Amino acid sequence: MNIGIIGAGNIARKMAYTVNNMDGVTLAAIASRSLEKAQEFAREFSIPTAYGSYEELACDSSVDLVYVATPHSHHYAHAKLCLENGRNVLCEKAFTANAKQARELIEISHTKGLYLGEAIWTRYLPMRFKLDELISSGVIGKVSYLTANLGYALGDVERMVKPELAGGALLDLGVYAINFALMTFGNDIKDIRSSCVKNENGVDLHNSVIIDYADGKTALLHSNMTSNTDRRGMVYGDKGRIEFDNINNCEGIKVILNDGTVTEYRTPQQISGFEYQVSASVKAIAEGRTECDEMPHTEILRVMEIMDGLRAEWGIRYPFE
Ligand SMILES: NC(=O)c1ccc[n+]([C@@H]2O[C@H](COP(=O)([O-])OP(=O)(O)OC[C@H]3O[C@@H](n4cnc5c(N)ncnc54)[C@H](OP(=O)(O)O)[C@@H]3O)[C@@H](O)[C@H]2O)c1
């Protein structure tokens, strides 16, 4: 399967490295707004075709799947460009800037019968399924509460601080904490309460969210773009707790029982962790599906709706909305 990448930035490099180390997939093309930049990227990652515009890659019928690696503010336009030209798409998180854009892309994918996935890699990692298995096994008993946080000192990164690039901690980092809660406790949500602190441009620097579930469980989430946090997820039950070390890329799981017994589970050897979302997309495309089980369209939309709701509460609107 031939893969193309749109946007020759930071995360595109990680994906290029990953695809080059996978079997059954080939990096066929890279597109940048600058031909020179695309050619340099192509040289570095041995990619046969370099395009100086995103349109050219979107129109390349030899490309089976396009990975959209541009800022959140541009996912909608770039994913739409690809879908309208007949390309399957794996789009970086946050999927779009808002739920309206996500809904429209999903509709196009259904109409055209093309695959559309979100590259929220934590949904595809094997340790995510290990966590499910441990909770279902009842090892920590009846589960009532989880916490999850993700914070990096990214205050000087352009796409984080600018409203016109859909900046803020929520769409970049909070999206992982929300996905952690939804993956673990589902989405039968009764109530959401939250607060945030904004930068001088009006996007959130850090935010705290409480999700109350219909069955009585609670998730307490925090994301932060000014400080490195411990990035931990914790799930609490009446017989013990599960420590999920790093909700952004699980480095290991510990089960700590109330009697002090500790059992550790290690993360399997991986290329970068990005390979699982690529494999899930390849499988779905081979099966003629428009979505994959790991991150179905309903979940993509649910996460975007939650983030829309939080931003509405905080009075954050991007200039292009
Ligand atoms: N999964 C993860 O672990 C992870 C980690 C970091 C980021 N991300 C996601 O990946 C996406 C890109 O993040 P990144 O860190 O790679 O950002 P980045 O280094 O700033 O790269 C983004 C690329 O998008 C292109 N672009 C198109 N329009 C742009 C505009 N108006 N302003 C700036 N760039 C524009 C540029 O490529 P050209 O100049 O080549 O056209 C740029 O290099 C974001 O959605 C982010 O949330 C995911």
Side-chain angles (χ1 to χ4, degrees), residues 131 135 140-148 180 184-185 217-218 232-238 240-244 254-256:
L131 177 63
I135 294 172
I140 59 163
K142 188 173 174 353
V143 171
S144 59
Y145 175 57
L146 72 76
T147 62
F180 186 80
T184 313
F185 282 176
K217 295 192 186 84
T218 299
R232 195 163 287 162
M234 297 290 291
V235 184
Y236 299 87
D238 59 3
R241 64 186 192 271
I242 298 175
E243 196 178 288
F244 193 88
K254 267 188 206 160
V255 176
I256 305 154

Side-chain angles (χ1 to χ4, degrees), residues 12 15 42 63 81 89 104 137 175-176 192 216 226 228 235 240 256 268 273 280 286:
M15 181 55 93
V63 171
L81 172 73
V89 171
E104 200 183 311
S137 76
V175 67
Y176 288 109
I192 300 183
T226 63
N228 290 337
V235 184
I256 305 154

Side-chain angles (χ1 to χ4, degrees), residues 150-313:
L150 189 63
Y152 294 100
L154 295 171
D156 55 352
V157 175
E158 194 188 19
R159 67 176 180 77
M160 297 295 298
V161 296
K162 287 193 166 173
E164 58 272 32
L165 293 178
L170 178 68
L171 261 69
D172 201 82
L173 304 168
V175 67
Y176 288 109
I178 292 169
N179 271 288
F180 186 80
L182 265 57
M183 281 191 278
T184 313
F185 282 176
N187 59 28
D188 190 4
I189 293 169
K190 193 177 78 182
D191 190 29
I192 300 183
R193 281 160 291 157
S194 67
S195 71
C196 86
V197 172
K198 298 180 198 171
N199 73 0
E200 63 280 9
N201 304 323
V203 297
D204 63 304
L205 286 168
H206 52 91
N207 64 72
S208 302
V209 178
I210 302 171
I211 303 181
D212 287 322
Y213 283 85
D215 62 3
K217 295 192 186 84
T218 299
L220 174 62
L221 315 174
H222 180 75
S223 59
N224 193 317
M225 67 148 135
T226 63
S227 310
N228 290 337
T229 67
D230 64 20
R231 300 173 286 171
R232 195 163 287 162
M234 297 290 291
V235 184
Y236 299 87
D238 59 3
K239 293 186 184 158
R241 64 186 192 271
I242 298 175
E243 196 178 288
F244 193 88
D245 186 13
N246 191 351
I247 63 160
N248 194 19
N249 182 11
C250 183
E251 292 158 29
I253 292 178
K254 267 188 206 160
V255 176
I256 305 154
L257 299 184
N258 290 349
D259 67 5
T261 314
V262 179
T263 312
E264 291 191 41
Y265 299 88
R266 290 190 179 188
T267 303
Q269 191 73 31
Q270 58 190 28
I271 301 169
S272 65
F274 275 23
E275 61 268 35
Y276 303 105
Q277 57 194 353
V278 175
S279 299
S281 306
V282 167
K283 181 170 177 284
I285 293 167
E287 291 169 351
R289 300 182 61 198
T290 57
E291 61 187 328
C292 65
D293 296 332
E294 291 85 346
M295 189 53 170
H297 290 167
T298 47
E299 282 288 283
I300 293 177
L301 207 47
R302 188 75 175 109
V303 172
M304 289 313 309
E305 284 167 353
I306 290 173
M307 296 201 294
D308 275 8
L310 292 169
R311 285 197 298 119
E313 221 174 294

Side-chain angles (χ1 to χ4, degrees), residues 23 42 52 60 67 78 84 111 118-119 136 164 178 215 240 263 265 309 320:
D23 294 326
D60 182 343
Y67 170 62
H78 297 152
E84 284 183 337
T111 307
E118 180 176 358
S136 312
E164 58 272 32
I178 292 169
D215 62 3
T263 312
Y265 299 88
F320 51 84

Side-chain angles (χ1 to χ4, degrees), residues 6-12 14 31-34 37-38 54 67-75 78 92-94 119-121 157-159 165 171-172 176 248 274 277:
I6 276 188
N10 160 51
I11 213 63
K14 186 164 168 180
S32 168
R33 294 164 301 171
S34 140
K37 191 174 164 193
Y54 299 162
Y67 170 62
V68 173
T70 53
H72 322 313
S73 48
H74 291 65
H75 289 175
H78 297 152
E92 255 308 332
K93 45 54 71 172
I120 174 93
W121 62 319
V157 175
E158 194 188 19
R159 67 176 180 77
L165 293 178
L171 261 69
D172 201 82
Y176 288 109
N248 194 19
F274 275 23
Q277 57 194 353

